[in-house]
Amino acid sequence: MKDGDGAIKATIEQFLERSSRVDHREVQVEVRGAVVTLKGSVDSAIEKRTARELAQDADGVERVDDQLAIRNYVERTDAELAEEVRHALARDAYVEGAKIEVYANRGRVRLDGSVPTYHTKKAIEDVAWWTPGVVDVESLLLVSDEDFVDVSPGEVVG
């Protein structure tokens, strides 16, 4: 392992350890020639995606080879997966007031509709990501009751 590879590995391991969305003990990091390989087993597609994104964010990384397996992966038909996401959303207290439709296609879930707050939008997306069998989530949810504030970096006073 080159010195640069060791620094990349240390950085990624720190990113994983600091993340609340990844159990760093489940992910093994290998670096060779600025190519990162992630191995191990994680609990969900969102944990797998987050680990990959954290590795990609480290300086000096050229490519990430994601070999992480999702433990207890459940393959479902599109109708079953959409229904499971709907049921999970119905049981979640943070989802009240949302008017959404759920579509599934080969493990990929699309969320469409309107929600009252950005917090509700995030909660719905998280519920979908953590549903067994989901491999990707596309959110087309619109926030209807909160004003959008667009602040450019030059307008921030600090």
Side-chain angles (χ1 to χ4, degrees), residues 44-119:
S44 68
I46 189 65
E47 189 174 5
K48 178 180 169 78
R49 186 183 91 176
T50 300
R52 184 177 59 245
E53 288 173 349
L54 289 170
Q56 290 168 335
D57 286 347
D59 287 338
V61 172
E62 293 178 10
R63 186 171 61 84
V64 175
D65 180 13
D66 180 356
Q67 297 180 12
L68 293 169
I70 300 173
R71 227 181 344 270
N72 301 320
Y73 177 74
V74 177
E75 190 166 337
R76 295 188 160 117
T77 67
D78 295 343
E80 290 171 337
L81 185 57
E83 189 63 23
E84 182 61 29
V85 171
R86 284 187 204 100
H87 283 289
L89 291 170
R91 293 187 304 265
D92 191 279
Y94 294 107
V95 177
E96 261 187 83
K99 297 175 186 129
I100 61 169
E101 295 178 34
V102 178
Y103 305 95
N105 183 6
R106 293 185 288 178
R108 289 166 170 69
V109 170
R110 188 178 85 225
L111 305 169
D112 201 352
S114 65
V115 297
T117 66
Y118 286 99
H119 180 75

